[in-house]
Amino acid sequence: MRRIRRTAALVAVLAAGALLMAALNSGTHHGHLDPRSADPTGSRAVAELLKERGVTTRVVTTAREAADATGPGTTLLVTDPDRLGSSQRSVIRSAMDLSGGRTVLLAPGGHSLTDLSPGVRTEGSADADDLAPDCFLPAATSAGRAGTGGDLRYGTTLPGATACYPSGGHPTLLVLPSATTGGDTVLLGSATILRNESLAEEGNASLALQLLGTRSDLVWYMPSLADSDPVTGSDEDKSLLELVPAGWSWALLQLLVAAVLAALWRARRLGPLVTERLPVAVRASEATEGRARLYRKAGARDRAATVLRAASRERLAALLGVPQTRAHEPTALVPAVSARLPGGQRDLTALLFGTTPSDDAALVALADHLDALEREVRTS
């Protein structure tokens, strides 16, 4: 048996190791850009700062919810535009044109720019992470250098566009006027300024608050799998097994085969059960005395009284022919006991179903009365 337990423990360790390695290779996207997440890649910090400034943040996961929540006093943040399917992009585009509010698109690529921001194109990746504003946008000039680089740059010939934080001559932040008066669209090439881990760096916090806090309501749209375009699925859409590298999969398979072979090699065929003498025989009286001492040490008079009364009720029910299922019902047991006892009336309900004794002396008296009642029933 010891060898079997050792083999089972080995298999369990191997399985736990396999799951751990798969989890480590599954990425670090837990809580990514979620305003409720305190993870390094989450965005709870900026959501809390916005809350202190009177901005209400609402998280939605479908394009229809996002479109229904937009309006002149609303900022719509789309955290992953490239993940949207064609119908979802159409819904968001209509909301952008009609709402009169602000729409912020995080790192939109060529897949989504055609529908969400026609006339804008990507210009590759920015060389540096922290860039200077180099524009006259008030939000950018007051924030100063910020982490808008490290991802996408944009190019456009649209009239009225404001280009900020350039890298190699191409901006990483674009502000485009909307078709509706008072509205605009912000294209931000990197989500760095919204992450908890980088919010305090450079002017990230200032820029994030000014881009997202111009309206009293912020709709934080995190596209769900249902809103995703199946043609452009990302690593986040893959299962845990799909995220494990091929080399690790073969290694885990070899470990599993080795574990099975080891189990078969070390396993024994179990025979029939055999009786075994106990090394020490403990008398029932000693076990009862030991339990009583434990009750006394813990001051558990309620538990001791409950055990004494329950045992007496079961024995009395057997003597009087009361079904065991009703042995603990006063309406069934008390009349049967009273009918067996000669003489005057007794308070059997208090004796068999009463309250907890107030002290040890009362508990001893209860045990004596229960014992006397059983003897009387037996001899009657």
Side-chain angles (χ1 to χ4, degrees):
M1 290 298 294
R2 184 178 300 174
R3 291 182 179 179
I4 294 176
R5 287 195 296 266
R6 192 179 303 167
T7 303
L10 176 61
V11 173
V13 170
L14 290 175
L19 291 175
L20 178 61
M21 287 187 290
L24 291 176
N25 284 278
S26 65
T28 57
H29 294 286
H30 175 67
H32 182 64
L33 293 180
D34 192 330
R36 300 159 297 188
S37 172
D39 289 350
T41 59
S43 300
R44 182 176 177 179
V46 68
E48 291 295 328
L49 291 177
L50 289 169
K51 181 179 179 181
E52 293 177 359
R53 288 158 176 77
V55 178
T56 302
T57 301
R58 174 186 173 188
V59 178
V60 297
T61 57
T62 66
R64 178 49 56 192
E65 286 180 312
D68 292 343
T70 56
T74 300
T75 298
L76 171 62
L77 171 65
V78 185
T79 60
D80 196 352
D82 286 349
R83 191 172 187 173
L84 300 180
S86 57
S87 60
Q88 285 75 23
R89 292 195 298 270
S90 177
V91 171
I92 295 300
R93 180 62 195 180
S94 298
M96 294 167 60
D97 292 337
L98 301 175
S99 69
R102 165 168 286 183
T103 302
V104 179
L105 304 177
L106 284 186
H111 182 69
S112 58
L113 283 176
T114 303
D115 295 328
L116 297 180
S117 188
V120 179
R121 63 189 180 278
T122 59
E123 296 289 352
S125 300
D127 298 331
D129 293 334
D130 298 325
L131 302 171
D134 197 17
C135 68
F136 297 102
L137 183 69
T141 55
S142 61
R145 292 182 63 86
T148 62
D151 205 337
L152 294 177
R153 302 178 300 171
Y154 300 102
T156 184
T157 56
L158 294 174
T162 303
C164 295
Y165 295 99
S167 173
H170 298 288
T172 57
L173 174 64
L174 272 179
V175 180
L176 307 172
S178 174
T180 304
T181 304
D184 60 10
T185 300
V186 177
L187 275 67
L188 185 59
S190 172
T192 302
I193 66 171
L194 301 183
R195 297 188 184 117
N196 295 328
E197 60 186 356
S198 53
L199 185 66
E201 299 174 0
E202 298 289 349
N204 293 349
S206 175
L207 183 60
L209 293 177
Q210 293 184 81
L211 292 180
L212 301 181
T214 57
R215 273 77 171 174
S216 59
D217 293 319
L218 171 61
V219 179
W220 199 293
Y221 176 30
M222 302 178 65
S224 62
L225 291 177
D227 276 8
S228 300
D229 190 339
V231 179
T232 59
S234 64
D235 285 346
E236 294 182 7
D237 302 328
K238 296 181 180 180
S239 65
L240 181 63
L241 294 179
E242 291 174 334
L243 292 169
V244 178
W248 281 106
S249 300
W250 282 108
L252 294 176
L253 179 60
Q254 293 176 15
L255 287 175
L256 179 60
V257 172
V260 172
L261 292 176
L264 294 175
W265 171 51
R266 302 295 292 181
R268 287 183 179 181
R269 183 178 178 181
L270 297 178
L273 295 176
V274 296
T275 58
E276 182 179 359
R277 284 179 170 271
L278 294 176
V280 177
V282 180
R283 298 191 324 192
S285 59
E286 294 180 0
T288 303
E289 184 178 356
R291 176 177 291 189
R293 289 177 178 176
L294 289 175
Y295 284 155
R296 182 177 183 181
K297 184 177 181 180
R301 285 189 297 272
D302 55 344
R303 177 61 180 167
T306 300
V307 172
L308 289 173
R309 284 177 168 138
S312 293
R313 291 196 296 265
E314 291 175 358
R315 289 192 292 268
L316 289 172
L319 292 173
L320 299 171
V322 177
Q324 287 295 322
T325 56
R326 305 193 62 189
H328 305 290
E329 298 179 9
T331 56
L333 185 62
V334 171
V337 176
S338 299
R340 178 67 68 89
L341 297 178
Q345 298 291 330
R346 301 188 188 181
D347 192 1
L348 297 177
T349 302
L351 178 60
L352 295 173
F353 299 92
T355 58
T356 301
S358 58
D359 51 29
D360 291 346
L363 180 62
V364 173
L366 173 64
D368 292 339
H369 292 321
L370 291 173
D371 187 47
L373 177 60
E374 290 185 41
R375 287 199 305 269
E376 191 172 356
V377 169
R378 284 193 181 93
T379 58
S380 62

